[in-house]
Amino acid sequence: MKFPVTGKAQDIVLGSTATLALFLAYVSLPLAGMVAALFAPLPGVFFTLKSGKRVGMAIVAITAGVLAAVADPATVALYALQSGAISLALPFFLERQNGGARAIVSTVALAAILVAAAATIYGLSQGVDVHGFVQKGIDASISQTAVLYEKSGLKGEELQTFQQGLRQAGVLIGKVYPALIIICLGCITAVTLTFLRRLSPRLPVPPAVGMFREFKNPDQLIWAVIAAGFAMLVKYPGVTSAALNVLIVTLTLYFAQGLAVVIFYFNRLATPAFLRVLFYLFLVFQPYLAIAVTALGIFDLWGNFRSPKKPENL
């Protein structure tokens, strides 16, 4: 197939089209859309590194413009603060920092700051309590879910138990949604970087991404876990909520480190593919395994499980 445009113009057309398709799938499809969200920034990141930041900015601007014409302002804001921000920030940090982990952290930090700034500006300009607004949205989603399950035939004691569980989940989500936003941004950025590494041979200058199995958190991060744990004992809702969010984010980082240790030994021991798939399935459906992987990541701070073992003197 021959395109009527070539060079950077072709990259802009391809990048904008792919980004639009992925993001519209994200906001339109209930379940498959979540998968599309993970890949929505990838075209912008790839073509920015391939053809320059002006091409990346053009892709983001065209995508936002088309969304503004066909969707509501909330969808445009979601794209700009999520996929758009990652599309421009990740290439910037990859070109200026050593390693993919630092680029991910910097990108997520910048995107989270933009989300917080946008929420603050919206709240002040509209006279809206942003936290209350978010909590109302969570409660509305919980209520809709309960109605759907009631219509599906769930009745009696089972329905009451399910509704009680949903209410408890709504209260918890209302406390930890800042951490959930950061984790979602981190997952999207990490997936983007993973697939960018596969596409890197097509780039003029492949970025120094590094290998995930070598990922390790800074040793000082353990103090954030300890401080957040003790802060949870303070009897002030604001302090405990902030500590809970910090604890969730830091434990997620240690989960990533534990997973890196597991993948390191998968490669070292040449573990068959079907056993790896089985492990990942258990990891998704068995919370206790996720806790064990997180603990592995924490104890890697002292065990240093991936360091080469020194031979003993005989």
Side-chain angles (χ1 to χ4, degrees):
M1 180 178 179
K2 294 184 178 181
F3 289 91
V5 291
T6 58
K8 293 185 177 182
Q10 177 178 308
D11 290 344
I12 292 173
V13 172
L14 289 173
S16 303
T17 303
T19 303
L20 272 170
L22 289 167
F23 196 79
L24 287 174
Y26 165 44
V27 297
S28 302
L29 303 175
L31 294 177
M34 299 303 295
V35 178
L38 297 174
F39 297 94
L42 182 59
V45 173
F46 174 77
F47 286 113
T48 299
L49 290 171
K50 178 178 180 289
S51 302
K53 62 182 180 181
R54 291 185 179 179
V55 170
M57 292 173 67
I59 291 171
V60 172
I62 291 171
T63 303
V66 174
L67 287 174
V70 302
D72 56 89
T75 301
V76 180
L78 178 62
Y79 168 74
L81 296 172
Q82 183 178 287
S83 300
I86 294 172
S87 296
L88 297 178
L90 185 57
F92 175 84
F93 289 117
L94 282 173
E95 291 175 343
R96 286 160 178 78
Q97 297 187 3
N98 183 22
R102 291 183 180 180
I104 290 175
V105 171
S106 300
T107 300
V108 172
L110 178 60
I113 290 171
L114 291 175
V115 170
T120 302
I121 293 171
Y122 175 78
L124 293 175
S125 62
Q126 301 295 321
V128 175
D129 177 13
V130 175
H131 177 72
F133 180 77
V134 172
Q135 187 65 61
K136 286 182 181 178
I138 294 170
D139 292 340
S141 298
I142 295 294
S143 299
Q144 290 174 1
T145 303
V147 170
L148 287 175
Y149 274 89
E150 186 175 1
K151 290 181 178 179
S152 68
L154 198 64
K155 295 180 180 179
E157 221 176 284
E158 292 182 355
L159 178 61
Q160 292 179 355
T161 303
F162 182 75
Q163 289 175 337
Q164 183 179 359
L166 283 178
R167 285 192 292 269
Q168 292 174 350
V171 172
L172 179 61
I173 293 172
K175 292 179 180 179
V176 303
Y177 68 84
L180 297 179
I181 290 173
I182 293 173
I183 291 170
C184 287
L185 290 171
C187 290
I188 293 171
T189 309
V191 169
T192 299
L193 192 61
T194 299
F195 282 85
L196 179 66
R197 187 173 177 274
R198 296 177 179 273
L199 297 172
S200 60
R202 303 182 184 182
L203 296 173
V205 182
V209 174
M211 304 295 291
F212 174 67
R213 62 175 178 265
E214 299 171 359
F215 170 73
K216 186 175 183 181
N217 291 300
D219 293 346
Q220 295 79 7
L221 185 65
I222 192 63
W223 292 108
V225 176
I226 295 171
F230 279 108
M232 290 287 294
L233 303 176
V234 177
K235 296 181 180 180
Y236 290 97
V239 175
T240 54
S241 293
L244 181 59
N245 280 276
V246 171
L247 192 62
I248 290 173
V249 172
T250 50
L251 288 179
T252 302
L253 289 171
Y254 276 112
F255 170 80
Q257 182 168 335
L259 190 59
V261 174
V262 172
I263 293 175
F264 173 84
Y265 280 100
F266 277 167
N267 285 274
R268 184 173 179 178
L269 302 175
T271 305
F274 80 93
L275 289 179
R276 300 189 188 202
V277 172
L278 191 62
F279 170 80
Y280 295 134
L281 288 175
F282 273 111
L283 193 61
V284 171
F285 295 107
Q286 179 51 260
Y288 292 110
L289 182 57
I291 294 173
V293 172
T294 303
L296 178 64
I298 293 175
F299 285 109
D300 186 46
L301 173 65
W302 298 279
N304 201 11
F305 301 123
R306 290 164 288 182
S307 62
K309 301 298 182 182
K310 295 181 180 179
E312 297 181 0
N313 295 326
L314 298 175

